[in-house]
Amino acid sequence: MRAWLEKLGDQIATFLATGDADAPGIAHKLVAQAGMLGYPRLSDACRAYEDAVLAGGDPGPALDAARALAMEVRADAEARGKDPELL
C-alpha cells in the first residue's frame, strides 16, 4: 500500500508541474489510481477535466479544480504513507 501511495504522490507532483498540453494524459492515469486508493473526489475531478478536454470546451476551470484537489490528496497520501501501521 505504501508503494501505491508513493506512486500516487509522484503522479500528482507531475500533474501539478506539467504544462496544460500534457495534463490530460496524466489526469487519465490519476482517475484510476486515485479511485483505487480511496480518493474518489480527485478521480471524479480528473475525469471531469479529461471530459472537458475531449469535448473541446474550456478545460481551465476543471483543470484548476483537479489541481486543487490533487494538492489536498498529495498531503493526505504522504501522511498515510508514513503511518507505521500501514501494510
Side-chain angles (χ1 to χ4, degrees):
M1 180 67 133
R2 185 170 292 157
W4 283 104
L5 290 168
E6 288 175 8
K7 184 175 179 182
L8 177 64
D10 291 345
Q11 286 182 342
I12 288 172
T14 301
F15 180 61
L16 293 172
T18 193
D20 292 354
D22 296 323
I26 298 165
H28 180 76
K29 293 176 185 176
L30 286 172
V31 168
Q33 191 164 11
M36 179 182 72
L37 292 173
Y39 298 105
R41 289 180 50 221
L42 177 59
S43 180
D44 292 346
C46 287
R47 180 172 286 119
Y49 166 64
E50 191 178 18
D51 289 347
V53 169
L54 293 173
D58 177 13
L63 177 59
D64 292 343
R67 285 185 169 159
L69 276 169
M71 288 188 283
E72 291 177 27
V73 167
R74 180 171 60 176
D76 185 72
E78 287 175 2
R80 284 176 60 196
K82 293 177 184 174
D83 183 345
E85 302 211 5
L86 187 66
L87 298 177

